[in-house]
Amino acid sequence: MNLLIVFSHPNQKSLNGAFLKSVLNGSMENSSIKNIQLLDLYEENFNPILFFDEKVKRRHMYKNPAFSKHRDQLLWADKIVFLYPIWWGRPPAMLLGYFDQVLSAHFAYEETGKYTTKGLLKGKSVICISTMKGPGMYPFFFLHNVHKVLMKKAVFRFVGIKKVKFFEFGSMEGTGQAKKIDKIYRYFRGICA
């Protein structure tokens, strides 16, 4: 199995960085995972700003050489891990900008009719690992699960990815961090294709 990890936090020495190490350590001890690639959007200075005009058409973004590496990584991966904090009830703008530009028409989906599309990234699976300061049940009760709906339905299902697993960790400034980090380590040490 090929595993792509997309890390979207400005500080690798943060708690999210500890989760990243846990994913990497567990994955390296897993014989089912043959290859691992890490994409750190902040370290790469990924520009999340979507730009198009009369000359640069949005429908031609799939040809943009600036994102060829990112497209190749997604095609290569069997399983994709997105690791990020929850800010304002959603992932960071850096990650959303990645989706805006890399998951483009003619690469991640095709229009099949006026209001219909076909996802082109079928057969892949996604794991979302997110952290937040507030309680873990806050997004469910007060935000109507907007984070999971955004990621699972609006992003991944649209591009053909149906298998999406979530690890949403709340109250991360409290105690119990080590247990949660270990849970991720054990999960990645044991997953199979």
Side-chain angles (χ1 to χ4, degrees):
M1 167 183 14
N2 292 333
L3 182 72
L4 172 63
I5 305 164
V6 181
F7 182 70
S8 187
H9 193 282
N11 182 1
Q12 274 205 14
K13 294 181 181 174
S14 65
L15 185 58
N16 277 254
F19 275 105
L20 174 60
K21 286 178 188 166
S22 181
V23 170
L24 287 168
N25 290 339
S27 298
M28 288 188 273
E29 293 177 21
N30 185 329
S31 61
S32 296
I33 299 173
K34 303 299 181 198
N35 301 292
I36 303 167
Q37 285 188 36
L38 170 62
L39 170 60
D40 183 332
L41 293 173
Y42 283 89
E43 186 175 277
E44 183 181 281
N45 286 322
F46 184 86
N47 183 354
I49 299 170
L50 175 64
F51 173 81
F52 55 90
D53 61 15
E54 301 79 36
K55 293 178 186 171
V56 179
K57 304 286 187 195
R58 187 155 193 249
R59 65 179 164 265
H60 297 143
M61 287 185 69
Y62 73 101
K63 297 178 185 177
N64 187 332
F67 306 113
S68 61
K69 170 190 137 183
H70 305 101
R71 291 189 297 265
D72 289 347
Q73 286 176 322
L74 289 172
L75 292 174
W76 169 86
D78 301 303
K79 196 174 290 289
I80 307 156
V81 178
F82 292 97
L83 177 52
Y84 52 91
I86 297 289
W87 293 331
W88 299 104
R90 50 121 183 105
M94 179 69 81
L95 183 56
L96 297 176
Y98 170 86
F99 293 149
D100 286 347
Q101 297 176 92
V102 179
L103 300 181
S104 57
H106 309 295
F107 167 71
Y109 67 94
E110 289 281 346
E111 294 179 4
T112 55
K114 189 172 182 178
Y115 301 110
T116 57
T117 60
K118 175 176 86 170
L120 300 177
L121 298 178
K122 292 179 179 167
K124 299 179 183 304
S125 62
V126 163
I127 301 167
C128 293
I129 304 170
S130 59
T131 60
M132 67 190 103
K133 180 180 177 181
M137 294 307 287
Y138 179 82
F140 180 77
F141 286 115
F142 296 101
L143 301 176
H144 308 291
N145 240 1
V146 69
H147 163 243
K148 287 183 181 177
V149 171
L150 167 72
M151 299 300 274
K152 188 170 188 173
K153 293 181 180 177
V155 177
F156 301 124
R157 189 179 296 168
F158 192 81
V159 300
I161 300 172
K162 293 183 180 172
K163 286 180 67 179
V164 182
K165 180 167 182 61
F166 289 92
F167 289 97
E168 261 185 354
F169 295 112
S171 304
M172 292 311 296
E173 291 188 358
T175 59
Q177 295 171 348
K179 259 185 169 174
K180 294 169 184 175
I181 291 168
D182 186 59
K183 178 179 182 175
I184 292 299
Y185 163 76
R186 286 184 285 107
Y187 178 81
F188 280 90
R189 191 180 61 190
I191 60 170
C192 48

